[in-house]
Amino acid sequence: MKSKNIYHTLFLLFVTLSLSAQCLETTHTPFAEDSWLSCQKGTNPNPEHPSSHWIMYDLGFEYVLDSTHFWNYNVWAQSEAGARDVVIDYSLDGINWETLTTFVLDKAPSSYKYEGMAGPNFNGISARYVLVTALTNWGDPSCTGISEIRFGVEETIVSVDPEINTSEISLEISPNPAVNEAMVSIQADEFPSSVGLYDLAGRLILVREDPRIMNINFDLKTLPGGIYFVKAAFEEEV
């Protein structure tokens, strides 16, 4: 007799109240440690672009994207390093790229009251990788940066192993979004061997092994705001 793991994965949007890069929900700090800055151009992941200042986001999995919100480089007296003409590309595999658009990112005011600006909308495009390339900036001769980018995604996306009978296994999470804790409720014919909470990079953050219960509570108080997913593993005789 052999066994195999069956995975039932649910993607969640967990939002906590402590956002390290923002001093309020919509405003951004003017501190360098809360921002991204590139002072040396590098080989761009998209070969259609020359060596440039760029940042690539690996969302960990394929998501359906919609709105974006940009906070430009907002550091005290250094906002000239903020990106200006920006091109956004997206990809499913990090190799083959499609261009969404090119747009102008407003200069930041170097202020605690900086609320950023709405960026381009993906309008339901599916992507795992998002590449942001700065073509120009607001005057700095060597460095280009961005403070933060927020991507709008579907709050709940279910991805199931094709061999699973979804009528026999289901996961429910409440509340969703969550702030301090979330309850995972499992409906199945058998107990899961483990239930884990993972970040977008696929790193295991929290786990309950052989819980022997169908309701698992995850304490989220120490986690930064972001998107996480739950994976329940089951053993099946073959």
Side-chain angles (χ1 to χ4, degrees):
M1 300 292 289
K2 296 182 179 180
S3 64
K4 66 177 180 178
N5 288 324
I6 299 177
Y7 297 102
H8 186 111
T9 307
L10 178 64
F11 297 84
L12 303 173
L13 178 63
F14 287 148
V15 181
T16 70
L17 297 179
S18 58
L19 299 175
S20 61
Q22 296 175 319
C23 50
L24 294 174
E25 183 178 358
T26 60
T27 58
H28 208 282
T29 76
F31 302 134
E33 57 266 28
D34 294 332
S35 305
W36 165 77
L37 184 68
S38 170
C39 292
Q40 182 175 354
K41 294 182 178 180
T43 302
N44 199 290
N46 185 347
E48 293 188 4
H49 301 312
S51 178
S52 52
H53 298 294
W54 55 270
I55 181 170
M56 184 181 74
Y57 293 85
D58 179 357
L59 304 180
F61 297 89
E62 179 182 338
Y63 284 94
V64 177
L65 303 178
D66 46 52
S67 63
T68 63
H69 197 94
F70 281 71
W71 288 265
N72 210 344
Y73 197 69
N74 190 45
V75 178
W76 297 118
Q78 298 179 31
S79 59
E80 289 79 8
R84 180 175 178 176
D85 295 286
V86 176
V87 58
I88 297 182
D89 299 311
Y90 61 91
S91 173
L92 291 174
D93 57 12
I95 299 174
N96 301 293
W97 295 93
E98 297 287 341
T99 297
L100 177 70
T101 190
T102 300
F103 74 106
V104 176
L105 185 56
D106 293 343
K107 183 180 179 181
S110 298
S111 167
Y112 271 109
K113 297 181 179 180
Y114 177 45
E115 295 188 345
M117 61 175 287
N121 197 308
F122 280 81
N123 293 313
I125 290 175
S126 295
R128 170 174 173 170
Y129 301 90
V130 178
L131 175 63
V132 180
T133 302
L135 304 178
T136 63
N137 65 18
W138 284 97
D140 189 285
S142 56
C143 300
T144 297
I146 294 173
S147 287
E148 188 171 338
I149 304 173
R150 178 181 292 171
F151 299 97
V153 300
E154 289 187 6
E155 290 189 0
T156 304
I157 305 172
V158 179
S159 174
V160 184
D161 187 303
E163 297 184 12
I164 292 178
N165 184 340
T166 57
S167 64
E168 298 178 357
I169 301 176
S170 67
L171 295 178
E172 294 183 1
I173 291 85
S174 63
N176 184 25
V179 175
N180 295 315
E181 61 182 20
M183 175 67 72
V184 179
S185 300
I186 302 171
Q187 296 181 357
D189 294 333
E190 59 181 304
F191 293 112
S193 58
S194 67
V195 179
L197 181 70
Y198 294 76
D199 64 13
L200 284 176
R203 293 184 291 261
L204 180 62
I205 305 300
L206 301 170
V207 66
R208 291 285 299 276
E209 293 183 336
D210 194 23
R212 297 297 176 187
I213 53 177
M214 293 300 190
N215 298 308
I216 299 99
N217 185 69
F218 283 112
D219 187 345
L220 311 174
K221 296 184 184 68
T222 61
L223 299 183
I227 301 171
Y228 300 86
F229 65 95
V230 169
K231 179 167 67 179
F234 294 82
E235 297 291 334
E236 182 182 77
E237 293 185 350
V238 294

